[in-house]
Amino acid sequence: MQAENGHTIPIPVKKGCALIERIQQTARLLAARFSPRRLILFSRKTGLDGETASFKLCMVAELADKREAQREIFRQAEDSLPFEVLIYTPREWSNALEREDSFARKIERMGRDLLG
């Protein structure tokens, strides 16, 4: 899978899952619109049937207004699958990674970078 900006977007969810496309669509939207330095899938909850019920992404991007970016992301969302996008600027991400107990460190360790 390739976004408009040329980033490869492999999606690490089980094959055959009907909701893989939703995660891919969200990743493509974010990559094309915001050109993030990092896009990390760090949480995926499944229902009793094993299908993805919701997911969380972390995006590291140079943005003038993170709140406006959040609003834009959710305005463009076309599906009812719940998801969240946690946004860091590159400076915030770098500073957070310096702290051993930061949530960013946990995301870095546990998540999967969708931009390759």
Side-chain angles (χ1 to χ4, degrees):
M1 181 71 42
Q2 214 167 27
E4 290 175 25
N5 63 3
H7 288 297
T8 300
I9 305 175
I11 303 298
V13 291
K14 72 181 182 182
K15 292 185 179 193
C17 176
L19 298 174
I20 289 174
E21 181 55 34
R22 181 64 186 109
I23 296 173
Q24 290 173 328
Q25 180 182 41
T26 302
R28 284 191 304 267
L29 174 113
L30 295 174
R33 173 61 184 95
F34 300 106
S35 299
R37 294 181 185 184
R38 305 283 307 275
L39 186 57
I40 304 166
L41 176 65
F42 70 91
S43 177
R44 185 173 62 90
K45 298 197 180 203
T46 56
L48 294 174
D49 60 1
E51 292 290 320
T52 299
S54 67
F55 62 96
K56 294 180 182 179
L57 299 171
C58 174
M59 180 172 73
V60 180
E62 195 63 60
L63 301 170
D65 187 342
K66 293 191 317 184
R67 283 187 177 187
E68 180 54 35
Q70 284 279 359
R71 285 191 288 272
E72 183 178 337
I73 290 166
F74 293 110
R75 273 195 307 266
Q76 293 184 18
E78 298 175 6
D79 202 312
S80 60
L81 179 65
F83 71 97
E84 293 179 42
V85 180
L86 180 61
I87 300 174
Y88 286 88
T89 65
R91 173 181 245 160
E92 290 169 335
W93 183 251
S94 178
N95 290 342
L97 289 178
E98 291 176 7
R99 296 189 314 273
E100 278 296 320
D101 62 344
S102 72
F103 190 55
R105 279 266 184 136
K106 181 178 179 181
I107 291 170
E108 182 79 12
R109 280 192 316 269
M110 307 295 286
R112 297 194 187 219
D113 195 332
L114 302 179
L115 299 180

